[in-house]
Amino acid sequence: MEILGGPLFGVAAAGESHGPGITTLVFGCPAGLQIKRQDVQHYLNRRRPGGNKHGTPRNEKDKVIFLGGLFFDKDHDAMLAGPEVQVSADGAEFGTQTYEMGYTTGEPIAAVVLSTSNKSRHYEQFAGSQGEARPGHTDLVKHHKSKGFVDYRGGGRSSYRSAVSDVIGGSIARLFLQETFGTVFLSSICQVGDLKAEKSLTDLFTGHTADGKLIDQTIETMENGVIHSVDTEFAVAAGELIKQTRIKGDSIGAMVEVVGVNMPALVGEPLYQSLKLRLMGSLGGLHAVRGCEIGAGAAVVSRVGSENNDPIRRDGYQGNNHGGMLGGITTGMPLVVRVAFKPTSTITHQQQSVRKNLEEIDYQLHKGRHDPCVGVRAGVTLESRMAIEVMNGVLMHQAGRVDPQNFQLF
Amino acid sequence: MEILGGPLFGVAAAGESHGPGITTLVFGCPAGLQIKRQDVQHYLNRRRPGGNKHGTPRNEKDKVIFLGGLFFDKDHDAMLAGPEVQVSADGAEFGTQTYEMGYTTGEPIAAVVLSTSNKSRHYEQFAGSQGEARPGHTDLVKHHKSKGFVDYRGGGRSSYRSAVSDVIGGSIARLFLQETFGTVFLSSICQVGDLKAEKSLTDLFTGHTADGKLIDQTIETMENGVIHSVDTEFAVAAGELIKQTRIKGDSIGAMVEVVGVNMPALVGEPLYQSLKLRLMGSLGGLHAVRGCEIGAGAAVVSRVGSENNDPIRRDGYQGNNHGGMLGGITTGMPLVVRVAFKPTSTITHQQQSVRKNLEEIDYQLHKGRHDPCVGVRAGVTLESRMAIEVMNGVLMHQAGRVDPQNFQLF
Amino acid sequence: MEILGGPLFGVAAAGESHGPGITTLVFGCPAGLQIKRQDVQHYLNRRRPGGNKHGTPRNEKDKVIFLGGLFFDKDHDAMLAGPEVQVSADGAEFGTQTYEMGYTTGEPIAAVVLSTSNKSRHYEQFAGSQGEARPGHTDLVKHHKSKGFVDYRGGGRSSYRSAVSDVIGGSIARLFLQETFGTVFLSSICQVGDLKAEKSLTDLFTGHTADGKLIDQTIETMENGVIHSVDTEFAVAAGELIKQTRIKGDSIGAMVEVVGVNMPALVGEPLYQSLKLRLMGSLGGLHAVRGCEIGAGAAVVSRVGSENNDPIRRDGYQGNNHGGMLGGITTGMPLVVRVAFKPTSTITHQQQSVRKNLEEIDYQLHKGRHDPCVGVRAGVTLESRMAIEVMNGVLMHQAGRVDPQNFQLF
Amino acid sequence: MEILGGPLFGVAAAGESHGPGITTLVFGCPAGLQIKRQDVQHYLNRRRPGGNKHGTPRNEKDKVIFLGGLFFDKDHDAMLAGPEVQVSADGAEFGTQTYEMGYTTGEPIAAVVLSTSNKSRHYEQFAGSQGEARPGHTDLVKHHKSKGFVDYRGGGRSSYRSAVSDVIGGSIARLFLQETFGTVFLSSICQVGDLKAEKSLTDLFTGHTADGKLIDQTIETMENGVIHSVDTEFAVAAGELIKQTRIKGDSIGAMVEVVGVNMPALVGEPLYQSLKLRLMGSLGGLHAVRGCEIGAGAAVVSRVGSENNDPIRRDGYQGNNHGGMLGGITTGMPLVVRVAFKPTSTITHQQQSVRKNLEEIDYQLHKGRHDPCVGVRAGVTLESRMAIEVMNGVLMHQAGRVDPQNFQLF
């Protein structure tokens, strides 16, 4: 089933790019965590199309609406001060208030984000068995996999819009992990095309604990940058490169670094469900990703062991080539993953392609919107996926430390 | 995670009895099945509070709204003719059309049913650690399990209202199984208190195939009855018994028979994930159920093998003591399950209980609504759960019959 | 996949009745539990064919051999004092010591039980598409489900011999739960044919805590009985009934009561993965089971709510109609399940049947061994399955109570 | 639970490096596939320690013993001609024949590989809380995660020896996929230290179908090479580099390319369980891996879309930058993954470390065996993990194509 994370903390979701909305369920958050709608909205705003000048021109409000899983005994009015939903069905009108805030109950949390800026008429070029297959996209395989019953509009369910759910689930994991351990997840764009950043989160956060001020400053720097990077000079140059690429009707690749600081140690099951395996899959499996690396990454191929092993002293690991995990279990050092994105498949150049019935064509996009560099908006999704896997790993580890005090009623 | 069925076809859900709504995801329906909103609404109407004079006086519209997973290439207007949803959030107003019909795409399907008739003020009696624990209910254990962070209104997530999701998922399974195999799921109330029905679905449907007219007549009989039973005389008497029980402020138990006819054979994995295990769990695990039996059920304890074994001839099994499964695999005979419901825990009598802080009280319900006999509305949920498990089993069996023709693109 | 329990504590297994052996993996036991081979062997001996005069005449040594998942740092010799295994393969001979005892490490535990008393020549009657299908057995459906590739010898994988794995997994869960909470699982045969026991475990164990002496006496009474029941007079009569039934070449049904005492409270996730659902599935899904009930069971159908609700006082629930669970969550009261077994399908009478190619025959067993009353040996398997589900539920509940102390390394 | 692959085809396993053996269960292979012990042994021999002059000097026979899941109706003697197993337990001796060959039945398959060359005395340096933690290894985290109850001998369960199970499961997937689609999985070492191969499998296999002779020649070339690479000159130089590194007491990194040819198309669920996500996790999650890439890999970061999109013509994709998957679904082009291994953590140099109680030490290995370049033996494990995920994806896709013909019994 289409589940991210799990088996304890996970996200299930449905909804297509140009359908009515994205529906998200978040499972397994322990009872007692305060959730404010605006906390989750904050992360969604970072993902939102239209929220960044180098992103897609599509503009979505992306307002999250909570329909279940929260409760606030002390003030029902404050709890129910969220967006009002009205429905007209079969001649009747009815409506309901939704949650503005509340505490988790241990039950699943439901959230909906409606899609209000769909422009489906742009996608007639792709309809039916005469529809054109966009090179680099999933159009052709999904048409045949589904025997033609696919929502091809804007990539349908395979659109990056599905990441709304990742961000909602990630937000809840982040709130829990920050409250419990002070854990914070950050991401920085470190390469666009051939331009490479000289500053990195990995260089900034090098110990078992991270300073709160440094975290805040880093977040502020990145949020104010032209693109989301700790290297502000690089951000300016990369922004210009993206702009020029867009003008040419082309797209460009990017590398994004994702880091968790103030990490809980001992998280992750060894071997087949190790945190390393889970992160490689979850972050490496995101749309448009072609490579994923942990800690020192692929550079280790050129190294000898005596330079790659991190020394250990009484106060902790003295280096982080291991990227915060050994044997797939967290050491408490910053969790470090880097992800390589291909250039967005949607470009305006003419390309060789076929119709879905395999008739050959010279394909050219009639009209539509796209991100020239998918890395620009990917950071918050990567942070979310990292948070979801860490959260699940935390619960898994806790499960093995049974305290009989927790099993008393009378 | 809170999933019904699976791993191939399953339902995930969230939402509390008195929260904004019930959110449902349905996974794993193969692409190409036509779904009309009204087909699903039809089953929801059978479950709906207020839909039966012997059920709870709570009146819910229970309109299903489809937000994802459907598509109809040929007519986007017909597809999007479903209920209109409007949201006011942060000073902005926005809305969307939802699906009236469409074909499944193989992607998850999302549906929301809003709760519009909540009367939460009735539940102040139960709030906080001073709140009273209703005997027979989950109030006390859930309060302590969640460290006090539980939505106690109307049972919260543990309310029978959660069965909305079972019915939505079951509806989709039923549409698929009926289209593919002609399979139909039926249920009949067969006992209320000491009153026992003399007619049963098991006696009506005794062969590998069932006549369409007989199915239609049986459904009509049951839908027109005082309560949902093939035995109309019993239905009248049982209806009266329920009414008298309600007048006394008490509640009463019931037994419900659930049958699948025109069953696909060879469905179900042996042993730890056998269809028998799955049905016992799914149907026997429903709210208020205290017993579950297959085929001849507990009566087999008194039998010898020579009377209990069903003879086999060239045209099939000559009896159905086995209830349609041997070794947890379907034989093609009607699938037969019977489920015993306890009397509804909510009654108006005074009872010994405690506050959630364990202070002793003489408990009496201040005000509230309830079903005096939970069996009255349970049938459609049981049919749904049976359909979900059969559907998952069908996909599991098909997975083992690999045809290379299905793996060609060019 | 063929897994019992889970996702945290579970059992996976393979092996056919007349194959080389039964292989078992047990997942998710927390680190630090002492396991002695003889502790597990003790439970296997209760299940063992040949261990009871009313069971099958097949005699299996059923010696468990531990191959992984244990460790004892302080004394490797004591650890490796288990059975010696020797293998001849491709002209080479090699061997290894196995574990006599050790502590769990949190990693999966592997155990093998070899089958040494196979008499496969008795099963030629059932070979191939001309093979005869035994009424009441899974022969016919498994032949067609597997396209003829089924091990039909003694029921193959679907044999009750597969329960060896349940007992091994259950033993480990029992050791953990007894050490942590004092929990003990018991079972008593309460009906054979029309003979009903007058004493029951449910009547003996009526409070939140159980006396150790009473537990020990009860176990001793049952182990010394003619059959495993707290009612010794019933046991004598039932033993005689089984003997007479066997002489007639027939078989007979039985009901078994399974009870957990000194139960941890608050165990079980609500709703779709509730402990009630899991127990109904796991116990009700066992071979030959046709009915399963919780607490007061199907008798509740005839009751009104005012007699069925259990009063609550400061010191706990004052009755156990609820069978130790409300809303699928444990209350701490004894966990009570009753299971109805059909008469063993294997009898010596002539019966109408078919060959696997559907040719009609008068079927009669040529030769073979069988239990005339499958309930005689089922108790320890039911206790095991109950323990496995409770164990998984304990870990699930603990997962939601995160203590940051458990996540420190330096 | 510790499961590789799934939910339909998967591998579960247990066993530590220096324990009695590795136990493996393989789930979900459809009925009717012929398995010969020697077919599986062939792949195990490629993984076997002692099988390559640049691998560890530890010499293990690694004979696979099949204990369940196979059957061959026509010739029981041929079926049972496998290794003989003898056990001495509690004064009794007993034994059994095991499977030499058979057909899968759809039930789980059990296999055991005993460990016969353990030299545990080498590991006393690491015992208990005074034990030394090897830099780069999982010793320290596993000691604390398990509260000291860890089998530290040779890395225990986290040893690369656990990959025996991956290879057994992979072998069965490979036999099925080769028989059904002609699919073959290959791997080639493409970099060691700074030395890079000039020839690659990706360059050799560029179309939707691959020539059988080319496959055979390529396998022969690699099996005869100094190390397993299609570039024989590189293999010689890399072999020499590894040898020199070993002499220095150090270790070195490596990159391995893994390719599936004659791939079935349309395999893989979109999004959260996409084949890309699963492969990134499974291959990228293997021991010592620090990076994983698909198709053109991290090189795409520097590209523009117009050069990275693969053109499509009537006869298929005209390039394979996409590495055989788009949207996580196979296109039928070769499946291409590259994996970066760190230098083996075990070296003979002195390093800064701690005891498990965090007391600082200058760590130096007393004695022990190791691979100086873990990439040398990793290929067959990577091929196996790829096969397992493809196999599971094939069954998942087939599940969605329901054919009622497969559900008939009479």
Side-chain angles (χ1 to χ4, degrees), chain C residues 124-143:
Chain C
E124 284 158 16
Q125 182 178 7
F126 310 112
S129 63
Q130 291 283 329
E132 303 180 9
R134 296 171 299 165
H137 278 285
T138 191
D139 299 357
L140 189 65
V141 283
K142 289 198 77 169
H143 179 83

Side-chain angles (χ1 to χ4, degrees), chain A residues 29-266:
Chain A
C29 186
L33 177 73
Q34 192 189 60
I35 305 278
K36 294 178 185 163
R37 181 172 66 90
Q38 293 302 345
D39 292 338
V40 177
Q41 189 65 51
H42 164 74
Y43 291 112
L44 277 177
N45 289 347
R46 279 185 55 203
R47 198 216 70 87
R48 188 168 64 84
N52 182 296
K53 62 181 167 182
H54 293 295
T56 171
R58 174 175 175 173
N59 197 317
E60 283 287 357
K61 289 184 187 68
D62 272 5
K63 293 291 182 191
V64 63
I65 303 166
F66 284 103
L67 295 175
L70 302 180
F71 194 60
F72 183 39
D73 200 8
K74 302 238 172 70
D75 187 342
H76 287 217
D77 289 342
M79 170 175 81
L80 287 168
E84 197 180 346
V85 178
Q86 289 288 334
V87 174
S88 312
D90 303 332
E93 300 257 342
F94 50 92
T96 188
Q97 290 302 118
T98 64
Y99 295 127
E100 182 65 15
M101 59 76 63
Y103 289 81
T104 55
T105 62
E107 315 272 9
I109 297 164
V112 168
V113 172
L114 297 183
S115 296
T116 58
S117 171
N118 304 336
K119 297 178 179 165
S120 298
R121 59 192 171 281
H122 289 163
Y123 293 93
E124 286 158 14
Q125 182 177 7
F126 310 113
S129 63
Q130 292 283 329
E132 302 180 8
R134 297 170 298 165
H137 278 285
T138 190
D139 299 358
L140 190 64
V141 283
K142 289 197 76 170
H143 178 82
H144 288 277
K145 187 175 180 72
S146 69
K147 298 170 290 182
F149 294 97
V150 62
D151 181 349
Y152 50 78
R153 299 172 300 165
R157 176 79 189 133
S158 295
S159 162
Y160 187 61
R161 184 154 182 75
S162 63
V164 158
S165 302
D166 310 17
V167 174
I168 292 172
S171 300
I172 290 165
R174 297 167 86 145
L175 290 168
F176 182 87
L177 295 169
Q178 183 150 27
E179 182 176 297
T180 310
F181 304 105
T183 308
V184 174
F185 298 94
L186 305 164
S187 68
S188 172
I189 301 166
C190 53
Q191 185 177 347
V192 174
D194 287 324
L195 289 176
K196 295 184 185 181
E198 295 190 354
K199 296 177 187 165
S200 72
L201 294 169
T202 312
D203 290 341
L204 274 179
F205 296 98
T206 59
H208 289 257
T209 57
D211 179 65
K213 277 191 190 160
L214 179 61
I215 294 173
D216 292 346
Q217 284 168 4
T218 305
I219 291 174
E220 197 186 341
T221 299
M222 294 196 291
E223 295 201 341
N224 292 333
V226 178
I227 63 172
H228 202 265
S229 175
V230 285
D231 188 330
T232 50
E233 285 184 41
F234 161 78
V236 172
E240 183 60 24
L241 175 57
I242 294 169
K243 183 179 158 194
Q244 294 305 325
T245 305
R246 183 207 299 272
I247 289 168
K248 290 179 196 156
D250 215 331
S251 62
I252 195 156
M255 178 87 83
V256 182
E257 176 191 23
V258 197
V259 174
V261 300
N262 293 329
M263 283 289 297
L266 309 180

